[in-house]
Amino acid sequence: MDDASGNPAPPAVIVVMGVSGSGKSTVASLLAGRLGWEFEDGDDFHPAANVEKMQAGTPLTDEDRWPWLAAIAAWIDTLRAEGRHGVVTCSGLKRAYRDILAGDRPDVRLVYLKGDRELIGRRMAARHGHFMPTSLLDSQFRTLQEPTPDENPLVVSVGGTPQAIVAEIVETLTGRAP
């Protein structure tokens, strides 16, 4: 769908997804700032029990994730109902998770931050103060089901700087260079 000027119409909500350490929070917050949209970090929707499990190095189960995903989806639906725009992070590792977030919402767009295990592992090892230990990265990659073309994801390499990644996203979504 295009706007009146022929440019692609922006989505109502962008879900920035990828494994832990792919740069979701950094990219999504910069993207929201560039677009003037609201930003929420999906990690903030986790119940305390989930955070405690991850801090202890225990991977989450699907049962752990359902309430978390439902809370993010509720935030998305609130924005959409109120005619507001937002950017939210969520690992979105499985198709079933993304179906909860984007599913039948054509105005929600997935942006998949794609990178290899080695690069993302180095980045995770260098960050401090995050509850997700590097030891869980392998389970993230084992769980990851990359988005398929029918999900209409925007796939962006994490190899560039956060600013370059955001510029690529903005140009692709708006049809204009930032």
Side-chain angles (χ1 to χ4, degrees), residues 23-138:
K24 293 183 300 290
S25 297
T26 300
V27 168
S29 65
L30 288 171
L31 179 61
R34 174 80 58 87
L35 296 172
W37 292 6
E38 296 179 43
F39 166 71
E40 286 291 334
D41 193 315
D43 287 342
D44 294 340
F45 291 90
H46 274 297
N50 284 8
V51 175
E52 290 169 11
K53 279 183 88 168
M54 289 183 281
Q55 284 175 330
T58 304
L60 297 179
T61 65
D62 284 348
E63 290 71 32
D64 296 324
R65 288 187 177 99
W66 301 136
W68 170 61
L69 293 164
I72 296 171
W75 181 81
I76 290 170
D77 286 340
T78 297
L79 285 184
R80 293 172 66 236
E82 295 175 358
R84 297 173 11 227
H85 294 279
V87 179
V88 65
T89 63
C90 178
S91 54
L93 298 177
K94 290 184 179 180
R95 173 70 181 251
Y97 307 161
R98 296 187 299 270
D99 285 346
I100 291 170
L101 302 174
D104 61 353
R105 298 171 180 95
D107 56 348
V108 175
R109 184 78 188 266
L110 298 173
V111 172
Y112 170 41
L113 300 182
K114 182 175 180 168
D116 65 33
R117 164 69 177 88
E118 182 181 337
L119 172 62
I120 292 174
R122 282 195 315 267
R123 288 182 177 181
M124 281 185 78
R127 70 182 184 182
H128 303 284
H130 195 278
F131 64 80
M132 177 69 93
T134 306
S135 62
L136 289 181
L137 185 57
D138 288 332

Side-chain angles (χ1 to χ4, degrees), residues 22-23 27 114 119 123 156-166 168:
S22 61
V27 168
K114 182 175 180 168
L119 172 62
R123 288 182 177 181
V156 182
S157 168
V158 300
T161 66
Q163 294 78 8
I165 293 168
V166 168
E168 180 179 344

Side-chain angles (χ1 to χ4, degrees), residues 17 98 109-112 146-155:
M17 60 157 292
R98 296 187 299 270
R109 184 78 188 266
L110 298 173
V111 172
Y112 170 41
E146 291 191 338
T148 58
D150 66 303
E151 294 177 86
N152 192 29
L154 171 53
V155 180

